[in-house]
């Protein structure tokens, strides 16, 4: 018998029929003898409907009142799911974020969970009830309703699992797990049985939108085993956990990519301290997030400085950097918004040499020119022309034999 | 400068445009120097939409969860109204029933308010804010969300006005006040400037659905002056308050009527103790509400017993009474579901004789046969054939000159 926290997203509870499916699924786990705490999102479309109402009044609605408004979405779902459970004979009780004391800071619309009082939940579980908690919301020290920001229901699930010391936090979504890469690009992509928190973070930040990044960080921090499963089909999904002995066999876990990138290069920048800040300070002041940053050894007292931003920020960034470059006495500012980033991710590369060269060779064999390289402990990223995205991903998937399960 | 509690119903906040209208109206009162607390209902149609979701799961949804569900309707409105106020430059803060500590008993779906903690509201008012409170909902001693039952937002308004010792509780609705009778039947019906709580109760219970009965009782009990006003047109509405000196001039305040009545007569009942209970006990056990009850002096050891019920309960009541009548040895059970009740209401009749005979004479002059009579201290009701409803109402309106304002 285990204690399981399950989180069902908006699509999984998008209609009365689907809510009743979730109820049956939950009861299935109960029948296996598990204690179950369920976290739900708003029914799909509901949060957008509520935000639409707010926008009709003001596109800059008061943040406190916006949270009062949109927190109703999850409150509707918890009630409906409990009704469905009770109808099927399973005692259940719903709680809003406030009722179950999910205390957050007072940053409306993007609050962070500070503590959870688990006494009520434990009492209900002990009484044989399924506990259904509204995701995405909490209450601050003054009793104001707060929300955790979009996708925050995952975070609620993980935080509850941590507070309750649950055996597993299961995130039910519309995909059946984490894949070696996007199956729409590489049909031979394979579902991973396991992946580490760190790998998942690298995969998630590169656009595998299976899980919210914050919830993975949170799970890693508190060592809550996370499992991604499909609401709509059977299967064990993918378990995201700490690195373990038998995981070493997997050299590379997956290939992530990001299509929405743009690259900006400043050439002939005087090679002296403060240059990076001189260029990027103004970019960051404009709330533009910079991803990769590469600076080469200088030559003739000048250096070239390249970085990437989201493609939607490209024009604005170029404008800012051009102003800065003039001030700094740089030679030229060049940009390209037709690039993509492809990354190999795997904790195994920590202990194995030669991964990078194998990667570069595989790409070279296909005539794919690498324009930028950046590495971290468990990731190697390359920037290439966007026309090579699919070819690049498939080439690497093949080169590292990711369609084959690793031998233990 | 006064402290005013205003309640706006579902139609008054039925769209973003109307919510913005309410915001402007509230600001108008602020500009006159008043402190304003606003109670709002769910946007029209919203509560029905939510109940529809619950019914899709189960027509007998769990009562606790039903309250969690439908209380979201008002929560949406408080947030939207505050956003609208803030956009117009008026500081405002919203509170759910739980947040403002509207403590109720634990009777889900029909809870009763036990206490209200007014500290937060007073602090906000002192800071120049408009306070917007979700109507219809509260919280029980265990922190469960409760609702007061349909129309309960009026009760929230009155309870808040009582707790805050407000100068007036204004109920904004889609009619501009209380009329001497239904203007659709008597076009010369006149809006009353004032009416007493007792009169309003008699009018309300007879189908003038301007105010919820419980809220009028509550207002009377705590002596909270209630004013009924239109959200959509200017005017002073009707003030409902305790009886005062200058109100004595109004002999009759209005004519109420009820179309949905049915009459059942048991003839030849042995005239002995326990007969009334013998007939009505079984009816009340079936949760059927009995309205008028008339029993005449017996003759030859038997008596006739007549009562009225809602027309929708007619068939069921007839069946029950027929079974009882046999047991009691009654002669016959007769019924008629084509009847209506017309009532004269007025505190003035306490101190004036001859009202009843004037009423009966007026009806007789028009050939209207009276089938049943029942009187209370401030009301005389007659049951007549339903075809006489309009004629009866107009005849009495005319006989008591209700189209003329009473001379003080």
């Amino acid at each position: 018998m285990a204690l399981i926290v399950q989180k069902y997203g908006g699509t999984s509870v998008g209609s009365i029929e689907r809510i009743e499916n979730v109820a049956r699924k939950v009861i299935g786990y109960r029948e296996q003898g598990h204690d179950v705490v369920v976290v739900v999102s708003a029914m799909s479309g509901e949060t957008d409907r509520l935000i639409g109402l707010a926008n009709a009044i003001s596109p800059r609605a008061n943040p406190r009142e916006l949270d009062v408004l949109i927190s109703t979405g999850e409150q509707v779902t918890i009630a409906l799911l409990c009704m469905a459970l009770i109808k099927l004979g399973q005692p259940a009780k719903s709680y809003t974020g406030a009722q179950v004391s999910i205390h957050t800071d007072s940053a409306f619309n993007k609050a962070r969970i500070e503590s959870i009082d688990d006494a009520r939940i434990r009492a209900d579980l002990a009484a044989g009830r399924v506990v259904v908690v509204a995701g995405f919301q909490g209450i601050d020290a003054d009793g104001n309703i707060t929300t955790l920001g979009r996708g925050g229901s995952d975070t609620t699930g993980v935080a509850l699992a941590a507070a309750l010391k649950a055996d597993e936090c299961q995130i039910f979504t519309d995909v059946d797990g984490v894949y070696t890469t996007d199956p729409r690009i590489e049909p031979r992509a394979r579902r991973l049985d396991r992946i580490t928190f760190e790998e998942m973070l690298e995969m998630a930040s590169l656009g595998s939108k299976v899980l919210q990044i914050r919830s993975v960080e949170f799970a890693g921090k508190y060592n809550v085993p996370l499992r991604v499963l499909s609401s709509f089909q059977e299967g064990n999904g993918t378990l995201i956990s700490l690195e373990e002995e038998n995981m070493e066999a997997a050299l590379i876990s997956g290939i992530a990519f990001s299509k929405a990138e743009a690259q900006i290069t400043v050439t002939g920048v005087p090679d002296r301290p403060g240059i990076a800040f001189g260029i990027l300070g103004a970019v960051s002041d404009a709330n533009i997030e910079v991803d990769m940053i590469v600076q080469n050894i200088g030559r003739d007292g000048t250096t070239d400085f390249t970085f990437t931003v989201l493609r939607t920020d490209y024009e604005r960034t170029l404008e800012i950097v051009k102003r800065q470059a003039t001030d700094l006495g740089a030679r030229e500012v060049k940009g390209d918004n037709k690039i993509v980033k492809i990354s190999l991710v795997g904790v195994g590369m920590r202990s194995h040499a030669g991964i990078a060269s194998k990667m570069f060779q595989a790409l070279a064999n296909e005539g794919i020119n690498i324009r930028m390289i950046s590495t971290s402990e468990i990731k190697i990223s390359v920037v290439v022309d966007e026309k090579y995205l699919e070819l690049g991903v498939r080439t690497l998937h093949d080169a590292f034999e990711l369609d084959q399960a690793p031998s233990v």
Side-chain angles (χ1 to χ4, degrees), chain A residues 197-244:
Chain A
F197 292 120
E198 293 160 288
E199 288 170 328
M200 188 64 214
L201 280 176
E202 297 290 5
M203 299 288 276
S205 63
L206 285 161
S208 303
K209 283 174 196 139
V210 178
L211 284 174
Q212 218 215 350
I213 292 181
R214 260 172 69 193
S215 65
V216 179
E217 285 173 356
F218 213 82
K221 189 171 163 192
Y222 292 98
N223 191 16
V224 174
L226 260 185
R227 190 182 290 277
V228 177
L229 299 141
S230 164
S231 294
F232 306 112
Q233 50 191 109
E234 294 299 311
N236 289 325
T238 300
L239 180 67
I240 306 156
S241 64
L242 287 183
E243 193 174 349
E244 285 179 18

Side-chain angles (χ1 to χ4, degrees), chain A residues 262-283 290-299 302-309 317-318 321 324-325 328 330-335 371-372:
Chain A
Q263 158 192 321
I264 290 172
T265 302
V266 191
T267 62
V269 194
D271 196 1
R272 53 175 164 76
I275 282 304
F277 176 73
I279 294 168
L280 294 183
V283 174
V290 172
D291 180 17
M292 288 168 80
I293 304 172
V294 171
Q295 184 185 339
N296 251 337
I297 302 286
R299 243 185 338 180
T302 68
T303 187
D304 298 344
F305 187 91
T306 303
F307 63 95
T308 62
V309 294
T317 313
L318 207 57
V321 171
Q324 297 296 312
L328 293 168
R331 191 183 316 130
E332 196 189 1
V333 176
K334 298 187 292 191
R371 309 184 32 173
M372 222 170 144

Side-chain angles (χ1 to χ4, degrees), chain A residues 3 12 24 40 62 74 139 152 221 233 235 237 249 258 260 263 265 267 278-279 295 305 311 315 344 363:
Chain A
L3 170 54
S12 308
R24 279 187 287 272
V40 285
N62 179 270
E74 287 73 27
I139 194 165
K221 189 171 163 192
Q233 50 191 109
S258 164
Q263 158 192 321
T265 302
T267 62
I279 294 168
Q295 184 185 339
F305 187 91
R311 210 171 278 184
E315 306 289 347
L344 275 190
L363 293 173

